[in-house]
């Protein structure tokens, strides 16, 4: 990403669509110029189930961001997330014959990894670790001599139809896709500091419909797990338990909700509107304990499910003693402490506003994926090789161009 440019990103989530427009300075720093936000009801567990509804939400979020920035955007980075996205470590090896390793060798080696992914479309291929002969843990093999070269690469892939549906929704808003970014990877980028590059980290993105567990080995994205639970489940529980609308349930959760039931919850009251069978709206006064007694079991289920995913992953439970949480769900009062209690690990939450000191607007952790995609746009050229860069794939017709051509001919 060159300096002095504008980069635009769109986060399509299970509960909202968010858009950020950022400027990149000559010094290589970003500043968010504007942001747009709109509720979204056409996505389930990260997968589009109502394209028309999602397109309208995208258009509204884009309109808000464009009007605030005073400009029009034509192309965006967009996230890919949900239960069907796969992250898998793929190993490939090649004979070098004792000569100097060239950059093309790395490209060919990663192409060999891609050949092992048949039915899915690759979003990222990230080299985690190289091995030269019997030497493990090599970060940069180019320029070294070896008889054999192998790599463990994190290949992140998604169903082609899922990507095509995303392109279709953005195309209806007259937007082109510059690139796809794994949502969990993006949301992790905004909390990962340079001083963490020598440590192993687990970053958990608590979204609306899904929660993503992301593993980093010495700062390199090496794996991801997903559970189909998030903040939306808490909101639905509140709406059902208190017999109120989902919008009022979300408001109660945001203003008064907590992951724990405290000793003084019975002493504090909350007021919420409710509708009877005839549709007549009235106000009801309840102790705050009524709200938090609904929230706590679902929060416990979320963290127990996350714990099971970490335990059953390719990484050991002791992979990291420090866990970072982000996403809109992380802002629930007591979420950080509850996670520490369940996981028996040190859990930290970093608020997004800590990283926007030079920006003109204030946005919260619900924009974590957007900010991460901005960082990805700035760093992707240096930090990873994507499928579009491999010589093997360049011989084929680009997947995204095929999708756009199909849309132009059929919409």
């Amino acid at each position: 990403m060159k300096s002095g440019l504008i980069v635009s990103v769109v986060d399509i989530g299970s509960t909202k669509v968010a858009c950020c427009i950022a400027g990149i300075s000559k010094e290589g720093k970003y500043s968010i110029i504007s942001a747009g936000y709109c509720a979204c009801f056409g996505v389930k567990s990260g997968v589009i189930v109502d394209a028309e509804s999602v397109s309208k939400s995208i258009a509204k979020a884009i309109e808000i961001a464009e009007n605030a920035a005073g400009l029009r955007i034509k192309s965006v980075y967009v996230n890919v997330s949900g239960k069907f996205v796969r992250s898998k470590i793929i190993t490939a090896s090649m004979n070098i014959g004792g000569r100097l390793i060239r950059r093309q060798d790395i490209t060919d080696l990663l192409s060999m990894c891609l050949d092992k992914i048949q039915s899915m479309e690759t979003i990222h291929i990230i080299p985690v670790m190289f091995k030269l002969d019997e030497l493990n843990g090599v970060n940069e093999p180019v320029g070294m001599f070896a008889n054999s070269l192998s790599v463990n690469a994190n290949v992140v892939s998604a169903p082609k139809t899922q990507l095509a549906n995303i392109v279709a929704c953005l195309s209806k808003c007259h937007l082109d896709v510059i690139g796809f970014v794994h949502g969990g990877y993006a949301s992790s980028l905004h909390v990962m500091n340079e001083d963490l590059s020598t440590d192993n980290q687990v970053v958990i993105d608590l979204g609306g419909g899904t929660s993503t567990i992301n593993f980093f080995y010495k700062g390199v994205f090496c794996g991801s797990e997903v559970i189909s639970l998030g903040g939306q489940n808490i909101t639905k529980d509140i709406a059902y338990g208190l017999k109120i609308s989902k919008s009022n349930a979300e408001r109660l959760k945001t203003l008064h909700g907590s992951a724990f039931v405290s000793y003084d919850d019975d002493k504090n009251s909350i007021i919420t509107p409710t509708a009877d069978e005839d549709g007549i709206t009235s106000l009801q006064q309840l102790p705050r304990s009524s709200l938090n007694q609904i929230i706590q079991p679902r929060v416990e289920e979320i963290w127990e499910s996350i714990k099971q995913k970490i335990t059953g992953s390719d990484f050991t439970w002791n992979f990291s003693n420090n866990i970072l949480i982000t996403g809109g769900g992380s802002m629930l009062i007591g979420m950080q402490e509850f996670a520490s209690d369940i996981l028996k690990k040190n859990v930290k939450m970093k608020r997004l506003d800590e990283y926007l000191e030079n920006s003109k607007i204030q946005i919260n952790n619900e924009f974590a994926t957007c900010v991460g995609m901005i960082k990805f746009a700035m760093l992707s050229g240096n930090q990873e090789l994507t499928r579009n860069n491999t010589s093997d794939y360049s011989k084929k017709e680009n997947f995204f161009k095929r999708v756009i051509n199909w849309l132009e001919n059929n919409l």
Side-chain angles (χ1 to χ4, degrees):
M1 175 63 64
K2 297 180 180 180
S3 61
L5 297 180
I6 297 294
V7 58
S8 304
V9 299
V10 172
D11 170 20
I12 303 174
S14 297
T15 58
K16 57 91 177 57
V17 172
C19 170
C20 280
I21 302 174
I24 312 299
S25 68
K26 294 181 179 180
E27 293 76 24
K29 296 182 178 180
Y30 73 90
S31 179
I32 295 180
I33 301 171
S34 66
Y37 181 102
C38 182
C40 181
F41 304 102
V43 177
K44 184 176 181 181
S45 297
V47 180
I48 295 174
V49 295
D50 186 343
E52 187 66 27
S53 175
V54 172
S55 296
K56 291 179 180 179
S57 296
I58 293 172
K60 185 62 178 179
I62 292 289
E63 180 184 7
I64 294 171
E66 287 181 332
N67 290 341
L71 52 82
R72 293 291 177 263
I73 60 176
K74 295 181 179 180
S75 55
V76 297
Y77 286 87
V78 63
N79 70 309
V80 181
S81 57
K83 60 184 180 181
F84 296 116
V85 178
R86 296 288 180 264
S87 174
K88 186 177 181 180
I89 295 292
I90 302 294
T91 301
S93 302
M94 65 187 304
N95 182 37
I96 298 297
R99 63 171 172 79
L100 199 70
I101 298 172
R102 302 184 296 262
R103 178 60 60 187
Q104 184 61 42
D105 295 323
I106 306 300
T107 301
D108 294 341
L109 195 61
L110 295 177
S111 294
M112 294 168 62
C113 293
L114 295 176
D115 290 338
K116 299 181 181 182
I117 304 294
Q118 299 296 331
S119 60
M120 307 275 276
E121 188 69 25
T122 302
I123 304 169
H124 308 293
I125 176 167
I126 305 174
V128 177
M129 183 188 302
F130 291 95
K131 179 181 178 181
L132 275 65
D133 298 334
E134 299 303 320
L135 179 62
N136 283 309
V138 178
N139 295 326
E140 179 51 79
V142 175
M144 300 177 68
F145 289 90
N147 292 310
S148 63
L149 173 65
S150 61
V151 65
N152 290 331
N154 179 22
V155 180
V156 183
S157 57
K160 295 180 180 181
T161 53
Q162 183 175 353
L163 302 186
N165 287 332
I166 293 173
V167 172
C169 290
L170 289 166
S171 179
K172 289 182 179 180
C173 302
H174 307 288
L175 293 171
D176 296 325
V177 176
I178 302 174
F180 292 110
V181 188
H182 179 258
Y185 180 25
S187 61
S188 300
L189 286 177
H190 99 271
V191 297
M192 296 288 289
N193 291 334
E194 292 181 1
D195 59 353
L196 297 177
S197 61
T198 59
D199 299 327
N200 297 337
Q201 289 290 318
V202 178
V203 182
I204 300 171
D205 178 17
L206 300 169
T210 60
S211 296
T212 309
I213 306 105
N214 308 288
F215 300 90
F216 287 80
Y217 172 75
K218 295 183 178 180
V220 179
F221 182 42
C222 60
S224 181
E225 298 283 350
V226 180
I227 65 168
S228 297
L229 292 171
Q232 193 176 41
N233 299 94
I234 300 174
T235 301
K236 290 179 179 178
D237 289 347
I238 296 171
Y240 179 81
L242 299 182
K243 295 179 174 58
I244 59 177
S245 66
K246 289 182 181 179
S247 58
N248 284 326
E250 181 67 27
R251 177 179 174 275
L252 280 183
K253 182 182 73 173
T254 303
L255 295 178
H256 305 289
S258 174
F260 292 99
V261 179
S262 62
Y263 70 94
D264 62 344
D265 277 349
D266 286 328
K267 303 176 184 178
N268 295 295
S269 298
I270 55 175
I271 298 176
T272 180
T274 183
D276 58 22
E277 296 179 354
D278 297 324
I280 300 174
T281 302
S282 60
L283 296 178
Q284 61 176 332
Q285 183 172 326
L286 302 168
R288 193 166 62 187
S289 59
S290 299
L291 172 66
N292 293 334
Q293 283 171 358
I294 295 173
I295 294 175
Q296 183 171 327
R298 180 65 79 174
V299 172
E300 183 174 1
E301 180 189 8
I302 290 172
W303 284 111
E304 287 291 352
S305 298
I306 289 173
K307 184 177 181 178
Q308 290 178 10
K309 279 291 186 180
I310 296 175
T311 304
S313 71
D314 294 333
F315 308 93
T316 64
W317 177 245
N318 293 322
F319 179 82
S320 173
N321 290 321
N322 295 307
I323 291 178
L324 302 174
I325 61 174
T326 186
S330 67
M331 295 185 293
L332 180 69
I333 295 173
M335 187 65 88
Q336 178 183 350
E337 294 78 7
F338 202 102
S340 295
D341 186 55
I342 294 291
L343 301 179
K344 307 301 180 186
K345 290 179 179 287
N346 183 30
V347 176
K348 299 178 181 178
M349 181 185 72
K350 296 198 174 183
R351 293 190 177 277
L352 188 56
D353 51 19
E354 296 178 20
Y355 301 90
L356 300 180
E357 296 176 357
N358 298 324
S359 299
K360 299 178 182 179
I361 61 172
Q362 292 293 320
I363 55 180
N364 59 28
N365 281 24
E366 291 187 335
F367 284 84
T369 301
C370 281
V371 175
M373 282 192 285
I374 292 169
K375 290 189 174 183
F376 174 87
M378 296 170 60
L379 302 174
S380 60
N382 298 324
Q383 289 192 341
E384 78 162 355
L385 295 173
T386 63
R387 184 165 188 167
N388 290 7
N389 293 54
T390 64
S391 58
D392 176 70
Y393 190 64
S394 63
K395 296 177 183 178
K396 303 176 183 179
E397 185 179 5
N398 185 277
F399 170 72
F400 305 127
K401 289 182 179 179
R402 296 201 309 270
V403 172
I404 292 172
N405 289 337
W406 183 91
L407 293 171
E408 290 176 347
N409 295 328
N410 293 274
L411 293 182

